[in-house]
Amino acid sequence: MPTIVVEVMPKAELLDPQGKAVAGALRRLGKTEFTGVRVGKRFELTVEGPADAALLAEVQELADTVLSNSVIEDVTSIFVLEAVAGETH
């Protein structure tokens, strides 16, 4: 069973308070090599059958209308993870 992954990030021009908080925590831990952090969302949609073009188009529509808020977020990627024997998600 393939899994379709949808990744959503805050728009680049908007502040990311969660990312700012994580960046501050990293600095307090002495992890100064990290200069910025942005926090996003990842959705994994497991499907029966093949992840064909029609299904991916449906996922794109869902990503744009349900999984993200287009005012403040961008859908940055949609890709298919093929299941590997013995692996679970």
Side-chain angles (χ1 to χ4, degrees):
M1 287 188 293
T3 298
I4 301 170
V5 177
V6 178
E7 295 177 331
V8 178
M9 294 295 292
K11 288 190 179 285
E13 62 271 14
L14 297 178
L15 294 176
D16 178 6
Q18 285 181 297
K20 193 169 189 166
V22 171
L26 291 173
R27 277 193 303 277
R28 287 189 297 279
L29 292 171
K31 306 296 183 186
T32 57
E33 64 271 23
F34 302 104
T35 59
V37 177
R38 295 192 60 79
V39 176
K41 300 184 285 191
R42 175 183 167 119
F43 298 90
E44 294 187 358
L45 308 168
T46 304
V47 296
E48 289 287 335
D52 59 16
L55 183 61
L56 291 174
E58 185 177 353
V59 169
Q60 179 70 59
E61 183 178 334
L62 289 171
D64 292 337
T65 60
V66 177
L67 302 179
S68 68
N69 177 344
S70 63
V71 174
I72 60 171
E73 296 172 317
D74 289 323
V75 176
T76 58
S77 66
I78 297 175
F79 59 93
V80 179
L81 289 177
E82 295 296 333
V84 177
E87 184 179 272
T88 59
H89 288 276

